[in-house]
Amino acid sequence: MGDHTPVLLQEAVAGLDVKPDGIYVDMTFGRGGHTKAILDRLTTGRVYAIDRDIQAIEAGQALVASHPQQLTLIHANFTQVRLALAEHGVDRVDGILMDLGVSSPQFDDPDRGFSYREDAPLDMRMDRRQTLTAAQLVATRDVGELTRIFRDYADEPQAYQIAKAIVKDRGTKPLLTTGDLVALIKRVKPQKELSKKGHPAKQAFQALRIAVNNEIENLETALKEAVALLKPRGRLAVITFHSGEDRLVKNYFKSLCVSEGTRHGLAAMVKTPELAYEYHNRQPIVPGETEANDNHRAVGAKLRIIIRK
């Protein structure tokens, strides 16, 4: 399984308040770091771990072999979590974790096309059963749609300029590799952007990954699926890595934990219905200085947790 340590590992598992006999769901198994930490706190409890990347499921078989009575791995999209658990006779759980970062092995395998540091096919599919790749996306979307993707999913300052260059270039030569796209981005960006810290293609690559894998729409669905599974006092912990994701999680949690009257300052005048959820932490938990320095992927991570009443 390797030594990949997830961002905010201790904080997330502590926030789940793991009961030794509880049932827990890791909706983003990755390379199993969170699942292993939960298993270490169980006696008779069980973990159901889901991932849509078959390589993650295959890599996790060693962990299943060492915890056969406690761990079930499921190859599925986390939007299907309720259906997947129902097939195992489970309809209520004590805690659920989502880590929305791309796992290191996905980034580190150049053939997957997630990395802007290696030249490889422009792929970016988390689930290789799907047909849409990043190469197909940049070959078929118009300037307006590509601009929206780069702007909304990654706050890319040159969203329009990159989109325009993609559409212009593909008329003569298709963008097929990560290297093709990096070269285009470096050509389009002004010198002041190129001289900034960090890779100039980072935001555009993030945006394409989110679009290819339908991550925002899937997250909306998965959050609703997850809260419906929680037992009373059950907890949902979500780790986000960029502002678009965090905004979605923050607003959804607010809709569950803060009554509409209170949100609009009308609590005294409006009799509000009893809410079914409460915050564990109203402000997001973020990595400490040591973790942020040791792991560049920790920068921007935020952990939010709610509890079913």
Side-chain angles (χ1 to χ4, degrees), residues 105-115 118-121 128 178:
Q106 287 176 329
F107 267 128
D108 298 340
D109 178 356
D111 291 342
R112 300 300 295 269
F114 289 104
S115 177
E118 308 271 356
D119 193 20
R128 286 177 147 174
T178 54

Side-chain angles (χ1 to χ4, degrees), residues 92-282:
R92 286 287 180 271
V93 302
D94 295 287
I96 300 174
L97 181 87
M98 288 187 217
D99 176 347
L100 302 175
V102 177
S103 72
S104 295
Q106 287 176 329
F107 267 128
D108 298 340
D109 178 356
D111 291 342
R112 300 300 295 269
F114 289 104
S115 177
Y116 37 76
R117 300 187 190 280
E118 308 271 356
D119 193 20
L122 195 54
D123 191 323
M124 299 196 191
R125 291 172 298 169
M126 288 183 183
D127 184 344
R128 286 177 147 174
R129 294 175 295 184
Q130 82 172 42
T131 54
L132 180 68
T133 65
Q136 288 172 315
L137 192 146
V138 297
T140 56
R141 301 299 195 266
D142 63 20
V143 172
E145 177 66 3
L146 287 169
T147 301
R148 185 192 67 77
I149 287 168
F150 293 133
R151 185 189 61 228
D152 291 359
Y153 294 164
D155 303 317
E156 167 54 63
Q158 274 75 48
Y160 172 67
Q161 290 88 341
I162 293 170
K164 195 166 77 166
I166 286 171
V167 172
K168 181 170 179 283
D169 281 23
R170 75 190 186 196
T172 51
K173 182 180 177 290
L175 287 161
L176 298 177
T177 72
T178 54
D180 292 341
L181 184 57
V182 169
L184 180 146
I185 291 165
K186 285 182 174 176
R187 194 182 79 228
V188 169
K189 288 209 164 212
Q191 190 54 47
K192 69 172 177 24
E193 286 288 324
L194 294 175
S195 57
K196 282 184 180 174
K197 192 181 173 196
H199 198 285
K202 180 180 179 181
Q203 286 161 284
F205 269 64
Q206 172 187 296
L208 283 179
R209 187 203 84 215
I210 291 167
V212 167
N213 296 290
N214 208 27
E215 291 179 35
I216 298 297
E217 293 82 357
N218 284 347
L219 177 56
E220 287 176 346
T221 302
L223 288 169
K224 290 171 185 168
E225 290 272 305
V227 295
L229 282 164
L230 292 176
K231 294 178 182 176
R233 307 314 299 168
R235 298 180 177 213
L236 169 60
V238 183
I239 303 169
T240 62
F241 287 83
H242 65 82
S243 58
E245 280 176 347
D246 183 60
R247 198 158 45 242
L248 195 160
V249 174
K250 176 186 175 182
N251 289 339
Y252 184 60
F253 281 8
K254 188 175 181 182
S255 75
L256 296 174
C257 298
V258 182
S259 68
E260 197 168 345
T262 306
R263 290 203 297 271
H264 296 294
L266 304 170
M269 298 187 296
V270 181
K271 184 161 175 53
T272 54
E274 187 64 31
L275 292 159
Y277 302 86
E278 64 189 14
Y279 289 112
H280 170 262
N281 56 305
R282 191 177 283 268

